[in-house]
Amino acid sequence: MSTKIAVIGGTGLYAMMGGFTKTHQEIINTPYGEPSCPLVQGKLFDKEVVFLARHGFTHRLPPHKINYLANIWMLHKVGVRQIYAVNAVGSMNPSCPPQSLVLPDQLIDYSWGREHTFYAEDLEKVVHIDFTQPYSEPLRKTLLQARDNTGLSVVENAVYGCTQGPRLETAAEVKRLQRDGCDLVGMTGMPEAALARELSIDYASVAVVANWAAGIKDENISMAMIETALQQGMLDVETLLTEAIRIGA
Ligand code: HPA
């Protein structure tokens, strides 16, 4: 049997993935509480694929309220071994304008107060996972091959900074992120990536640029701008992920 693959993304992404056949939808209980929503399970190109709407089906969960532990534990429990995570971001890199797709290869975590590890208590000994390369290189390679096959333009490397939200950043905060070497800023990339690593699940992120980060342009950021850019970007995400799943190991 092929590897079970999960896509973590926005509500309704699975409905957009041409060829995906939904077989069932399941509420899964976890020792860490409730996941964001029931898991949509099905098939794409004979591969078992599951979809998780990170913010819930009705987009009710802000980034800091998402139960990342329950979500990742649930995916592991149903046998998922590869995760493609879709993350909306602001950009501070001129090569990554709104609507573009970017594959981060590094991250810096600025989030705080989130439950962020499966290794918190009841330990026989303290566990430190290696996180030098936070994203799976094999999954990134598959995404790059999918980019080449589809002819989409996808930026290959970026540093993702994860802020706490739900507010957007100040211009000075974005300047600090730039000084730190960040190209992108989002709110949902952590602790998700680290939790997947703790359970040995391959994890890669496809970042969709929703806006220029605060202060990069001489304008404020509106939800309308973000939504327009995301709508177009998500069409490309769907094409990229469909191809990645088709060709992936
Ligand atoms: N900052 C943080 N998260 C985001 C942004 C942003 O500008 N845009 C979309 N998600």
Side-chain angles (χ1 to χ4, degrees):
M1 202 172 53
S2 68
T3 308
K4 206 180 237 190
I5 304 163
V7 177
I8 305 182
T11 314
L13 186 61
Y14 71 88
M16 292 161 56
M17 307 264 299
F20 175 72
T21 325
K22 177 171 160 181
T23 51
H24 59 297
Q25 185 169 308
E26 205 177 342
I27 296 173
I28 295 167
N29 292 318
T30 88
Y32 301 97
E34 253 187 72
S36 295
C37 60
L39 194 61
V40 174
Q41 309 202 33
K43 289 229 149 175
L44 183 61
F45 304 116
D46 260 6
K47 298 196 167 132
E48 287 186 275
V49 180
V50 306
F51 284 88
L52 176 67
R54 191 189 277 116
H55 296 277
F57 281 157
T58 53
H59 210 97
R60 73 200 152 89
L61 294 167
H64 64 291
K65 291 285 185 191
I66 292 167
N67 190 338
Y68 296 96
L69 275 90
N71 286 350
I72 297 297
W73 191 92
M74 165 175 77
L75 296 180
H76 187 261
K77 166 120 193 281
V78 302
V80 165
R81 294 295 172 264
Q82 296 180 345
I83 296 175
Y84 291 110
V86 182
N87 300 94
V89 294
S91 168
M92 48 210 103
N93 181 329
S95 310
C96 310
Q99 293 188 17
S100 55
L101 303 191
V102 189
L103 306 181
D105 61 328
Q106 275 297 331
L107 65 80
I108 301 178
D109 188 9
Y110 302 89
S111 69
W112 49 269
R114 303 179 181 190
E115 291 292 336
H116 65 283
T117 177
F118 292 109
Y119 295 117
E121 47 200 312
D122 292 335
L123 301 176
E124 277 167 26
K125 60 180 167 54
V126 175
V127 179
H128 302 285
I129 55 156
D130 175 64
F131 205 44
T132 312
Q133 303 298 338
Y135 300 104
S136 154
E137 214 36 52
L139 288 192
R140 281 174 37 77
K141 288 226 165 71
T142 302
L143 287 164
L144 288 169
Q145 186 62 55
R147 169 194 70 175
D148 295 345
N149 294 358
T150 55
L152 285 166
S153 135
V154 180
V155 177
E156 192 165 335
N157 298 98
V159 178
Y160 173 103
C162 186
T163 53
Q164 177 71 352
R167 67 165 176 84
L168 297 171
E169 296 69 39
T170 65
E173 284 169 338
V174 167
K175 279 200 183 125
R176 177 176 76 140
L177 294 171
Q178 285 183 295
R179 285 196 299 275
D180 284 356
C182 293
D183 302 286
L184 308 173
V185 56
M187 302 173 191
T188 52
M190 283 294 282
E192 203 174 80
L195 292 168
R197 177 65 54 84
E198 285 189 351
L199 297 187
S200 302
I201 305 175
D202 282 350
Y203 180 102
S205 160
V206 179
V208 189
V209 179
N211 53 282
W212 291 113
I216 296 291
K217 300 280 171 199
D218 193 14
E219 60 186 10
N220 290 346
I221 302 165
S222 74
M223 281 308 287
M225 279 155 66
I226 290 186
E227 274 157 24
T228 310
L230 282 182
Q231 262 170 22
Q232 181 54 45
M234 285 303 167
L235 296 177
D236 291 343
V237 167
E238 176 229 318
T239 307
L240 184 75
L241 287 184
T242 303
E243 179 64 4
I245 290 169
R246 188 183 76 77
I247 63 174

